[in-house]
Amino acid sequence: MIGTAAFGPPLTATGISGDVVAAHDAADAVGPSATDGCTQILNDVRGRIALLDRGTCGFVVKVGNAQAAGARAVLIGDNVVALPPPGLGGSDPAITIPSGRISLADATAIRARLTAGESVRARLLLDTSVVAGTDRVRRQVMLAAL
């Protein structure tokens, strides 16, 4: 499950597939991490789905940097526990690749597999079997503030 982006092309039922690669940038004053995508992506992400970390700069900046490096899509791993992961806010008509936010647990699991030298293949798609505002068995999802 991913939180979809308010920018770039929407996900479709056909979706987009690709190998996931951890994207690395230059850690600098823009971001404390070399995996947050806040600066130019340094490793080869061409034709693949770039995995970035949430934090520091805006989502549009992260996705824009991955797009400029040739990524076909972007997954941004959350830095807090939030289920389902919220969407990605922002606006930029120059973004032409799909992107979304994944949970902290999913991002950690993917990074562990990549670090171990395993390949990870992902498919980002719109699941038309789930009705908005319901769970997978079509029970209405309700939120309440205490």
Side-chain angles (χ1 to χ4, degrees):
M1 191 182 274
I2 70 171
T4 58
F7 53 88
L11 296 178
T12 66
T14 304
I16 186 167
S17 298
D19 292 326
V20 178
V21 62
H24 298 280
D25 64 2
D28 63 8
V30 176
S33 166
T35 56
D36 62 10
C38 290
T39 57
Q40 179 182 3
I41 304 298
L42 302 176
N43 62 318
D44 186 9
V45 298
R46 288 175 295 171
R48 296 185 267 178
I49 298 172
L51 175 63
L52 297 168
D53 293 329
R54 181 178 173 206
T56 310
C57 63
F59 299 122
V60 170
V61 172
K62 295 171 184 294
V63 176
N65 285 334
Q67 176 177 292
R72 66 180 304 149
V74 174
L75 291 174
I76 297 177
D78 213 340
N79 58 0
V80 296
V81 176
L83 293 174
L88 303 176
S91 176
D92 185 347
I95 300 292
T96 59
I97 61 173
S99 59
R101 186 187 318 195
I102 60 174
S103 71
L104 176 61
D106 287 343
T108 301
I110 291 170
R111 281 201 186 279
R113 287 184 61 189
L114 293 173
T115 300
E118 297 178 42
S119 63
V120 175
R121 188 150 178 89
R123 184 168 174 216
L124 284 66
L125 59 90
L126 175 64
D127 185 350
T128 58
S129 69
V130 178
V131 176
T134 67
D135 64 13
R136 294 205 174 272
V137 292
R138 298 193 179 210
R139 294 178 295 212
Q140 186 173 7
V141 177
M142 299 179 72
L143 301 173
L146 299 176

